[in-house]
Amino acid sequence: MSLTYTAGSLVAARGREWVVLPESAADMLVLRPLGGSEDDIAAVFPAFEEVRPAEFAAPSPSDVGDQRSAGLLRTALRIGFRSGAGPFRSLASIAVEPRAYQLVPLLMALRQRTVRLLISDDVGIGKTIEAGLIAKELLAQGEATRLTVLCSPSLAEQWQSELREKFGIEAELVLASTVSRLERGLDLGQSLFDKHPYTIISTDFIKSTRHREDFVRHCPDLVIVDEAHSCVTADDAGQGAASGTNQLRHELLRRVSADANRHLLLLTATPHSGKESAFRNLLGLVRPELASLDLESPAGRARLAEHFVARKRADVREYLTKEDGLADDSLVQRTAFPSDRWTKDEPYKLTPAYRALLDDAIAYARDRVAAAGEQGRREARIAWWSVIALLRSMVSSPAAAAQTLRTRSESATARTAQEADALGSPVAADSADSDRLEGMDVAPGAAESEEAGARLLELAERAAELVGPAGDAKLKALTRHLKGLIADGYSPIVFCRYIPTAEYLATQLEGKLGRRTKIAAVTGTLSPQQRLERIEQLAAEAAGEAGGAGSGGEAPGPAARRVLIATDCLSEGVNLQHHFDAVVHYDLAWNPTRHDQREGRVDRYGQKRDQVRVITMFGEDNGIDGKVLEVLFMKHRQIMKDLGISVSVPDETASGVTDAVVEWLLLHGRQGSQESLFDLDGHQESLDRIEREWNSAAEREKTSRSKYAQRAIHPEEVAREVAAVRAALGGAEEVRDFAVEALRDLDALVRDAGDGTGDFTAQAGGAPAGLRDALAATLGGRLVEEDRQIPFRTTPAIGRGEAALVRTDPAIGTIASYVLDSALDADTPGPRPARRCGVVTTDAVTVRTTLLLVRYRFHLTLPSRTGERQLVAEDARLLAYEGMPSRARWLDDDATAALLTARATGNTHEQLVRNQIARDLGALPDLAGHLTEYGTRLASELDASHRRVRKANEEIVRGLKVVPQEPADVLGVYVYLPQQPAAVPASTVSGAEA
């Protein structure tokens, strides 16, 4: 006759102890190893394998550790938890420690039956992390079963790696390049979105009507939309290509959001994009009624605050302080954003030969535009875009100029003026829309006809002769700026407009910046995945150069510098702050928003530099850069200075200015470069209109930031949940102390960085083989095998071969698993940092005090939209009492936690150690009543926490249950004896060994 086991009970099978999970049935048990993870779950059939009830073994009085054992064992246990009992089911299983402010959108989401949020935090605050937290939590709770992320194709791989590495979500890429392969694996009549529960879809893919309709029919119940502002249009939008694409996306999302039961997260740092109607349309996707809210009224703003969060860096740089309304700063969290962005505009002057070439190119352009204007509107527009392509390439580099002059203009194939604009505009302009970056770094063509060919070929040959610092003063100036940055310890990214320019710079700079400087180019010729691989390769080469002297106990050599030459294929979405800390704008973009995007790759959360440097190069005598800088960039910077945030420049505004610049250049030539564009006849009215529109957009953004500031979740509510999470899972300081002590006890060589950051390095060559093998699997075999220094960082911003001092870092988890396993197995060879028993003589207590480390298991019933879920969760708690077990006086939580800091101040006799431990172990049955009562109280607190987090959603909390599983497991027993003034007998052991 087979026994029936309840969820949470312990059984013995296959030579180890297991926890029974709720998915079990009478004929099949679903088991998780005691202390194991979800990856270790197994099914056992009692009819074929022996399964018997098990009890967790009590500690052995013969296996005694020192006074640090309790703290090490508790931390090792908590780090290993992947199924915490608190209301946030996912926090124990993700590989990132979220900042406190990043919990705000999660708390907002858990108060909604169907989650609808517009997350508009500033660039670099961590919208991807916030969205990932919500997605992981909804999936963990069963509130969602399938997930799709809609993003631009250039960001798809990054989204995939973020979800996989940080949240353990394996999402399939659905791109134009992968869809054929994916469709070949489908069954007859099966949809991609039924077969693959987690997908990342490029917005290019769903432009196809067939794919779009299939997606709508089989759309997952959770959708995340990145760069959501590009998926709506203003009511007065024109009929251009960009507007048409946005209208397609808007219609798609309107249909997706029409399902009132579908969770929808919209992410954008620029919800307004300069148009109030576009903002209203965006709100309409969140909830239809939000589009018509009276946002001037307190009631309207309160309603919006339930679904809208928008914060600047200044709002979260220091969070949970007394200024946020808390009683004290005990939970304050400071986030390491760069505090300053050092910027400088660096002019350069053309060489005489280059100046003459540009003058001849302008003369050709003037003649071409004049001649085309007499032939009709189509010819005029073709000529216009060809001229812009020519001038932009000419001021970029000799390489780009030569290629453009030899290449046929794409707009020359147009049959109408409108088609010419559609073909020419994307190539010549710098759109703020990240979806339009792919393919935009190809050098455009300027040739339109056979007649112009000879003249352009002659200009191309002259351009080719100017390659190198002798003929190219811009290149020479760049070399000087890069040497300065490298000398100051920076690793810069140089952004160019065109592929030929990037490749030209990479070739010309090789060997010019010092032997220890590594250079690489990343352009649109590489796929998004290859771009990331090239960057990682560059970082690895520089790290290898620097780390080569750091093995065998020697100090590492000076850090090698890295220089990345990139086009704007990297200017949006890709996170580069771990490897680079300076930006050089080699080619001035024609929209300041593009510069913000470039700089945002390094100036964001996780950047180790307190000051990011930005150099903007411009030609003061080429007739173009100076005017663009004067009209667009100075205004943009002033608005940013006034508001503290960047206001996106609408594409039509930037295009209006640059059109005026080119018209002026053709009319006046370079010689008028000292005149102000605002003083020229014919342009004043249009420039005034542009300035009014921009000022209006800035004012709307300013009003939005103050009116719609996040007020739905009070910081006090966040603080309460942060405190609860830290109590259950531990905090950063505990993890660091644990890592240092455990590694030292395991015979690793630990060196403090000595810079006040808390960082340290460790060499694991002397550690037990089991730990070395496990670390090699997470950090890289070569790093461990060659006994190199492994950096442990207090910031989650880590590079290859480094470990973050957070509980979810794989290397920290590896150390914790080894400490826990070796404490439970007295036969483990080599050093064992933690033991399950200890006796300490200390002046920290005045009466005999016993500390217990207890593991509780809870059976949770969590209601959700898809039905009840049965879960088993774990929690580790410290309990302490004074006196003898039969007359125990139990201490409060603060006094109990303080025992972990007690240090031995005297020696303890060996026989006394054995007697004291044996007494407490023998009396454990007398403590069972209190341990059960404490577990019941803890279950009640957990129940209240779940209800508090979901307090606005009565339907979700109805039926919620938290039941403790008895008996609790006593993992450790530690006795603290008061210091006695009597003399110590000869036969003793030291407190550090007791």
Side-chain angles (χ1 to χ4, degrees):
M1 176 180 174
S2 63
L3 296 174
T4 300
Y5 300 98
T6 60
S9 59
L10 290 183
V11 297
R14 300 180 182 177
R16 65 188 304 183
E17 282 73 42
W18 306 76
V19 178
V20 178
L21 299 183
E23 295 85 353
S24 298
D27 59 345
M28 183 188 76
L29 297 179
V30 180
L31 308 175
R32 184 181 68 228
L34 191 60
S37 69
E38 304 295 330
D39 295 335
D40 302 319
I41 289 175
V44 173
F45 296 89
F48 304 104
E49 297 184 66
E50 181 186 3
V51 180
R52 65 181 188 278
E55 290 186 1
F56 189 75
S60 169
S62 62
D63 190 26
V64 181
D66 64 22
Q67 75 272 10
R68 297 173 301 119
S69 287
L72 286 170
L73 187 56
R74 180 183 73 148
T75 303
L77 182 66
R78 299 203 300 185
I79 288 174
F81 284 159
R82 291 297 179 266
S83 54
F88 304 112
R89 295 290 305 148
S90 62
L91 292 189
S93 61
I94 60 177
V96 62
E97 187 169 11
R99 314 301 293 170
Y101 69 81
Q102 291 174 331
L103 295 177
V104 170
L106 176 59
L107 287 168
M108 293 171 67
L110 293 180
R111 293 184 178 183
Q112 301 177 22
R113 184 178 185 277
T114 301
V115 179
R116 294 292 178 96
L117 288 180
L118 174 57
I119 302 176
S120 299
D121 286 340
D122 204 0
V123 173
I125 281 182
K127 292 184 291 296
T128 303
I129 297 295
E130 292 168 346
L133 282 172
I134 296 171
K136 183 69 173 179
E137 190 67 29
L138 292 177
L139 292 169
Q141 292 183 8
E143 293 293 331
T145 57
R146 296 185 298 140
L147 162 69
T148 278
V149 177
L150 288 173
C151 65
S152 72
S154 62
L155 304 183
E157 276 88 354
Q158 179 160 300
W159 265 102
Q160 184 185 45
S161 64
E162 290 279 303
L163 291 178
R164 179 179 59 246
E165 294 167 10
K166 290 185 171 66
F167 300 101
I169 299 174
E170 290 289 347
E172 191 71 49
L173 290 179
V174 183
L175 312 173
S177 59
T178 66
V179 66
S180 296
R181 172 180 59 81
L182 295 173
E183 288 181 334
R184 284 196 296 271
L186 298 178
D187 296 331
L188 185 63
Q190 187 179 31
S191 168
L192 271 176
F193 311 103
D194 288 335
K195 183 177 179 65
H196 303 288
Y198 311 136
T199 53
I200 298 168
I201 307 177
S202 90
T203 44
D204 275 354
F205 168 81
I206 51 174
K207 288 178 183 176
S208 157
T209 303
R210 179 173 68 87
H211 293 141
R212 189 164 63 247
E213 293 303 318
D214 184 41
F215 175 70
V216 171
R217 283 195 303 271
H218 302 276
C219 185
D221 49 6
L222 171 56
V223 176
I224 299 172
V225 184
D226 198 10
E227 302 297 333
H229 62 274
S230 68
C231 298
V232 293
T233 54
D235 294 340
D236 58 350
Q239 299 300 314
S243 176
T245 299
N246 286 10
Q247 287 170 356
L248 279 176
R249 296 176 191 156
H250 189 193
E251 174 60 21
L252 171 72
L253 288 186
R254 190 190 60 75
R255 296 171 65 187
V256 167
S257 65
D259 184 345
N261 292 318
R262 179 169 288 122
H263 303 297
L264 182 63
L265 304 178
L266 304 180
L267 315 182
T268 173
T270 53
H272 278 283
S273 296
K275 299 285 187 178
E276 179 67 17
S277 60
F279 177 55
R280 292 282 184 169
N281 289 336
L282 196 58
L283 294 181
L285 293 176
V286 180
R287 293 279 185 196
E289 63 271 20
L290 297 183
S292 55
L293 272 182
D294 178 10
L295 298 179
E296 296 300 318
S297 70
R301 291 197 294 271
R303 180 78 176 91
L304 177 61
E306 297 174 9
H307 302 276
F308 182 42
V309 56
R311 297 165 295 180
K312 300 184 293 185
R313 291 188 187 186
D315 298 328
V316 298
R317 192 183 297 277
E318 288 194 355
Y319 191 55
L320 302 183
T321 67
K322 287 192 288 187
E323 292 183 4
D324 293 318
L326 273 65
D328 55 45
D329 290 341
S330 60
L331 290 175
V332 64
Q333 192 172 70
R334 295 175 176 86
T335 302
F337 297 114
S339 63
D340 189 23
R341 190 184 292 186
W342 180 94
T343 62
K344 190 174 184 182
D345 298 331
E346 290 284 5
Y348 65 89
K349 285 190 174 183
L350 301 171
T351 61
Y354 211 126
R355 199 157 49 234
L357 173 65
L358 181 58
D359 284 338
D360 290 345
I362 293 172
Y364 163 79
R366 183 186 302 117
D367 294 345
R368 183 71 198 97
V369 169
E374 299 175 356
Q375 296 173 335
R377 178 159 175 75
R378 169 187 170 276
E379 288 74 13
R381 299 311 294 167
I382 291 174
W384 176 255
W385 295 119
S386 300
V387 161
I388 287 183
L390 169 61
L391 296 176
R392 294 210 67 180
S393 295
M394 191 68 70
V395 299
S396 176
S397 70
Q403 183 158 328
T404 292
L405 289 163
R406 293 190 177 106
T407 306
R408 181 171 173 78
S409 171
E410 188 172 355
S411 60
T413 62
R415 290 169 294 182
T416 65
Q418 290 78 11
E419 190 177 345
D421 288 342
L423 291 171
S425 176
V427 178
D430 287 323
S431 172
D433 185 352
S434 62
D435 274 9
R436 300 169 66 189
L437 293 179
E438 284 301 306
M440 291 299 103
D441 54 359
V442 175
E448 309 160 39
S449 62
E450 297 296 333
E451 300 81 40
R455 191 171 175 185
L456 292 181
L457 187 58
E458 184 265 333
L459 293 175
E461 291 171 351
R462 289 170 59 188
E465 293 173 358
L466 296 175
V467 165
D472 186 2
K474 185 180 181 184
L475 169 65
K476 188 175 181 179
L478 172 67
T479 306
R480 183 175 71 253
H481 300 320
L482 290 178
K483 285 181 176 179
L485 289 170
I486 291 168
D488 290 341
Y490 283 83
S491 290
I493 305 176
V494 180
F495 276 106
C496 312
R497 181 63 173 81
Y498 299 118
I499 293 171
T501 300
E503 294 174 344
Y504 162 70
L505 293 182
T507 300
Q508 291 292 324
L509 291 172
E510 193 63 46
K512 305 290 197 320
L513 302 177
R515 183 181 60 84
R516 295 181 58 79
T517 300
K518 304 296 181 181
I519 301 172
V522 171
T523 70
T525 59
L526 302 175
S527 70
Q529 184 60 36
Q530 289 172 326
R531 296 167 200 169
L532 298 179
E533 290 170 357
R534 177 72 60 86
I535 293 166
E536 289 297 327
Q537 181 184 357
L538 173 63
E541 288 175 355
E545 182 81 16
S551 59
E554 301 174 17
R561 293 295 120 197
R562 56 184 79 96
V563 175
L564 179 64
I565 315 294
T567 62
D568 282 314
C569 70
L570 288 185
S571 69
E572 180 62 8
V574 181
N575 298 331
L576 302 173
Q577 71 272 29
H578 301 327
H579 302 313
F580 304 95
D581 45 28
V583 169
V584 178
H585 300 290
Y586 188 72
D587 288 335
L588 192 70
W590 282 12
N591 189 328
T593 303
R594 180 62 59 79
H595 280 222
D596 284 341
Q597 292 167 344
R598 293 171 174 178
E599 293 161 18
R601 300 311 93 220
V602 299
D603 188 358
R604 59 194 303 110
Y605 169 59
Q607 173 58 254
K608 298 172 187 177
R609 285 271 186 187
D610 189 53
Q611 184 186 74
V612 168
R613 290 194 180 179
V614 177
I615 293 176
T616 301
M617 297 181 62
F618 71 99
E620 61 179 336
D621 61 348
N622 66 23
I624 297 177
D625 288 354
K627 296 296 180 238
V628 173
L629 197 67
E630 171 195 354
V631 180
L632 282 176
F633 283 83
M634 297 306 180
K635 176 69 176 178
H636 184 68
R637 291 169 182 173
Q638 186 60 48
I639 291 175
M640 189 168 185
K641 181 180 179 181
D642 293 343
L643 297 187
I645 55 170
S646 173
V647 176
S648 181
V649 185
D651 290 343
E652 57 270 24
T653 299
S655 296
V657 171
T658 51
D659 283 357
V661 169
V662 174
E663 290 177 16
W664 166 85
L665 181 66
L666 297 182
L667 184 63
H668 296 271
R670 288 187 313 99
Q671 302 310 313
S673 59
Q674 300 306 311
E675 301 177 61
S676 171
L677 194 62
F678 290 98
D679 296 334
L680 298 176
D681 295 336
H683 296 299
Q684 185 62 52
E685 184 178 343
S686 62
L687 292 171
D688 285 346
R689 175 183 54 77
I690 288 168
E691 177 145 7
R692 285 195 302 271
E693 291 175 354
W694 204 349
N695 285 334
S696 177
E699 190 58 38
R700 280 195 299 272
E701 187 66 30
K702 182 178 180 181
T703 302
S704 166
R705 293 283 170 164
S706 58
K707 264 187 186 176
Y708 316 137
Q710 196 292 120
R711 298 186 181 93
I713 304 293
H714 192 276
E716 188 174 335
E717 300 176 67
V718 181
R720 184 166 50 219
E721 304 309 331
V722 167
V725 169
R726 289 183 183 176
L729 302 179
E733 289 185 9
E734 178 185 338
V735 172
R736 183 194 182 277
D737 293 344
F738 166 80
V740 169
E741 288 192 33
L743 285 168
R744 283 178 174 156
D745 287 353
L746 290 166
D747 294 336
L749 181 59
V750 178
R751 292 190 181 93
D752 191 90
D755 55 4
T757 62
D759 293 357
F760 65 87
T761 61
Q763 289 173 251
L771 178 62
R772 292 201 311 272
D773 292 343
L775 285 175
T778 60
L779 293 168
R782 184 178 173 188
L783 193 67
V784 177
E785 290 166 8
E786 297 180 1
D787 198 19
R788 293 187 178 186
Q789 295 191 20
I790 303 169
F792 286 78
R793 309 287 190 193
T794 53
T795 170
I798 58 171
R800 181 190 297 271
E802 298 180 340
L805 290 167
V806 297
R807 61 179 303 281
T808 50
D809 183 89
I812 297 297
T814 294
I815 298 168
S817 293
Y818 192 89
V819 170
L820 179 61
D821 291 344
S822 63
L824 297 176
D825 183 3
D827 295 327
T828 301
R832 297 168 57 222
R835 307 291 176 91
R836 297 181 63 193
C837 294
V839 178
V840 180
T841 299
T842 177
D843 59 8
V845 298
T846 57
V847 296
R848 184 184 190 277
T849 305
T850 303
L851 178 70
L852 305 178
L853 175 59
V854 184
R855 174 170 54 196
Y856 286 95
R857 293 187 302 281
F858 300 93
H859 184 192
L860 278 70
T861 302
L862 299 178
S864 72
R865 299 190 312 168
T866 56
E868 288 187 348
R869 297 195 77 199
Q870 306 292 322
L871 303 169
V872 173
E874 296 174 306
D875 201 351
R877 294 293 166 134
L878 293 171
L879 290 82
Y881 62 88
E882 292 180 342
M884 302 307 294
S886 58
R887 298 186 301 277
R889 296 183 300 277
W890 294 93
L891 304 182
D892 61 28
D893 291 343
D894 290 340
T896 299
L899 291 173
L900 293 178
T901 62
R903 292 293 178 260
T905 56
N907 299 323
T908 309
H909 195 282
E910 292 179 2
Q911 187 60 47
L912 181 61
V913 169
R914 288 191 291 271
N915 292 344
Q916 294 290 337
I917 282 294
R919 179 185 300 172
D920 277 84
L921 291 178
L924 284 180
D926 297 336
L927 305 176
H930 181 82
L931 297 184
T932 298
E933 178 188 334
Y934 187 91
T936 302
R937 186 166 69 248
L938 190 56
S940 178
E941 292 173 0
L942 290 168
D943 183 281
S945 179
H946 279 271
R947 295 178 186 276
R948 183 174 65 243
V949 167
R950 295 163 178 80
K951 66 181 180 181
N953 195 342
E954 289 298 327
E955 193 171 334
I956 293 298
V957 299
R958 194 179 301 124
L960 172 70
K961 293 180 184 177
V962 183
V963 179
Q965 179 70 37
E966 299 178 12
D969 302 329
V970 178
L971 270 77
V973 179
Y974 307 92
V975 180
Y976 296 80
L977 301 177
Q979 177 78 54
Q980 299 295 330
V984 179
S987 177
T988 62
V989 294
S990 69
E993 296 172 350

